[in-house]
Amino acid sequence: MGSHAAPHHHRKAFLVASAVVLTAAGLLGLPRADGAPAAADAADACRTTSVNLPRGDCGPFWQVLAEDFNGDVVPLGAFSDCEHDVDTSAAYCGGLSGSYRDNWWAYPTGWRDTANDRGRDVVGVYHPEDTVSVGPAADGDGRMTIRMWRPADGGPVHAAAVVPRAVMEMAYGKYSARIKVTKVAPGYKSAWLHYGGGCEMDHPEGEWTGSLTAFHHPCGGGEQGSFPGSDDWTEWHTVSTEWTPGHVRFFVDGRQIGQDTREVPDQPLSWVLQNESALEGPGAAPGSSAQLDITWVAAYAYDWG
């Protein structure tokens, strides 16, 4: 159910072969060698129940990004000139500076969103320069804001996909964020995903007028794993994906909503926080807009030890 804005080519990363002992897997909450979930799988590795940004390593993961957006303000217009080394770990946006230039990239202006390939009447084009900003909310909480909109003349939706650079082209890991759609309108959706080489993991995904859903598309094809939830996009939720060898698990507010062991990807992939025009239901109305707020993002590498 996810999408491809442009052809993606990922470099191979150095991976260390590892054998997991069943007893240790059970203690750490890792998948067993036979593919069944371990006893500790009832909750995510960080036991994420707090609204605050988690800090530090947890379970088999070591933290490589902890961003609460309480630092520098990034105004509209700064996420620009993003055509450098696209879709690689060297990618960057020339309009950004400081830590945001170091830590974030975005799909460049002009890339088309998924709806363009789905025969939709309303489609989208990525415009990070006029959809993505960072700054304090009314209560002072620092947030990354994704405000998508459709021009009054009925042109394409201005969409946004942002990418944490610390986990680009990385195999395995844990990926978490706390999010809320603070302004809802029909015709807008998210599909936060890892994909490539015929593999795809999506969480969260769905039209913003609906509920959070997760999907897993096995690398060799076959029936997708679909894990619909009852959680509303318009409430604050912590979403997490845990990707380990042979196993992917999806969490909302610390509870597992789905998991799969069928042909889970083993190659380096990037985490794309993709937001775009809807693939189901009505298209965005001319002059409409919708907004997603992200209050923190945390990402972790997988500890082979």
Side-chain angles (χ1 to χ4, degrees), residues 67-88:
E67 176 58 74
D68 61 8
F69 304 112
N70 286 323
D72 295 338
V73 170
V74 180
L76 283 177
F79 271 88
S80 59
D81 187 26
C82 298
E83 295 84 0
H84 303 277
D85 299 313
V86 300
D87 205 37
T88 74

Side-chain angles (χ1 to χ4, degrees), residues 67-80 82 93 95-96 100 104-106 127-137 141-149 158-162 182 273 275 290-297:
E67 176 58 74
D68 61 8
F69 304 112
N70 286 323
D72 295 338
V73 170
V74 180
L76 283 177
F79 271 88
S80 59
C82 298
C93 296
L96 294 175
Y100 283 98
W104 295 91
W105 178 62
H127 281 278
E129 79 286 351
D130 60 22
T131 54
V132 184
S133 61
V134 177
D141 178 42
R143 300 179 188 176
M144 174 177 279
T145 295
I146 310 292
R147 178 185 175 273
M148 296 191 288
W149 54 283
H158 286 221
V162 291
T182 54
L273 283 54
N275 313 281
Q291 181 171 312
L292 173 74
D293 285 5
I294 308 169
T295 190
W296 56 256
V297 173

Side-chain angles (χ1 to χ4, degrees), residues 38-60:
D41 279 359
D44 73 289
C46 295
R47 302 298 190 266
T48 308
T49 57
S50 172
V51 300
N52 299 317
L53 170 68
R55 294 187 181 275
D57 305 339
C58 48

Side-chain angles (χ1 to χ4, degrees), residues 184-258:
V184 67
Y188 300 91
K189 70 163 291 187
S190 289
W192 289 20
L193 77 166
H194 292 81
Y195 78 95
C199 314
E200 187 169 324
M201 302 174 293
D202 308 87
H203 179 54
E205 179 171 359
E207 274 65 35
W208 288 355
T209 51
S211 58
L212 304 176
T213 300
F215 295 92
H216 174 239
H217 304 262
C219 296
E223 184 177 359
Q224 70 177 7
S226 177
F227 310 102
S230 59
D231 300 290
D232 196 304
W233 285 90
T234 58
E235 300 294 333
W236 282 110
H237 292 293
T238 299
V239 293
S240 296
T241 297
E242 292 184 2
W243 172 27
T244 55
H247 201 184
V248 60
R249 300 193 295 157
F250 307 107
F251 300 87
V252 176
D253 298 328
R255 75 181 187 282
Q256 182 174 297
I257 64 167

